[in-house]
Structure formats: structure tokens, C-alpha cells
Amino acid sequence: MRLYLLCCALLLSACGPDSIVVTAPPLQVPTDLLQGCAGWTGPRPSNEGQWADAAWAEMRGRYCANGRIETIAEILKSSGPR
């Protein structure tokens, strides 16, 4: 008889509304991190000095873009399931 009562209690616990689904809020990535980084924007270099300036500007632009990618990765990693 005890087994019967236990089974009835278990069956009744399965009846009822569906379980609540919890969803995570959307991730908030600042819009300034989604903007592109400028590299060389001047005219085509014609001498060695201009080539050096263009290379330096491209390097700064790539470091800027890589820094933004790393920051976005940290934001997305910290917002994940714990």
C-alpha cells in the first residue's frame, strides 16, 4: 500500500503547468567597439617616408582592431553560463 501511495504522489507531481523557461538577457556590447579602426587613409605613398607613415598607420589600426576584438571576447566570455 505504501508503494501505491508513493507512485500516486510521483504521478501527480508530473501534472501541472509547463516548467518556466529562463532565457539570458541579450549581450550588451558597446557600439564604439563595433566601429572600424582607421588605417592609412591618405593618398598612395610615393616615397620612403610616406611608406613608413602608411605602415605605421596600418600597424596602429591593426592593434586597435585586435584590442577591440579581445575586449569583445572578454565581454562575451564573462556573460556566459556560470
Side-chain angles (χ1 to χ4, degrees):
M1 184 70 172
R2 290 182 189 169
L3 184 59
Y4 176 74
L5 291 175
L6 182 63
C7 290
C8 286
L10 289 175
L11 288 174
L12 286 176
S13 68
C15 297
D18 293 336
S19 61
I20 299 172
V21 178
V22 178
T23 57
L27 299 174
Q28 298 295 326
V29 176
T31 56
D32 63 330
L33 292 177
L34 301 177
Q35 301 298 323
C37 294
W40 177 252
T41 57
R44 183 173 181 199
S46 61
N47 60 29
E48 290 178 7
Q50 290 176 350
W51 278 104
D53 291 341
W56 180 253
E58 285 297 320
M59 186 177 70
R60 281 184 294 158
R62 289 180 189 231
Y63 279 131
C64 170
N66 288 339
R68 288 182 182 184
I69 290 172
E70 290 173 0
T71 304
I72 291 172
E74 288 176 12
I75 291 171
L76 296 179
K77 188 186 305 181
S78 67
S79 299
R82 295 178 185 161

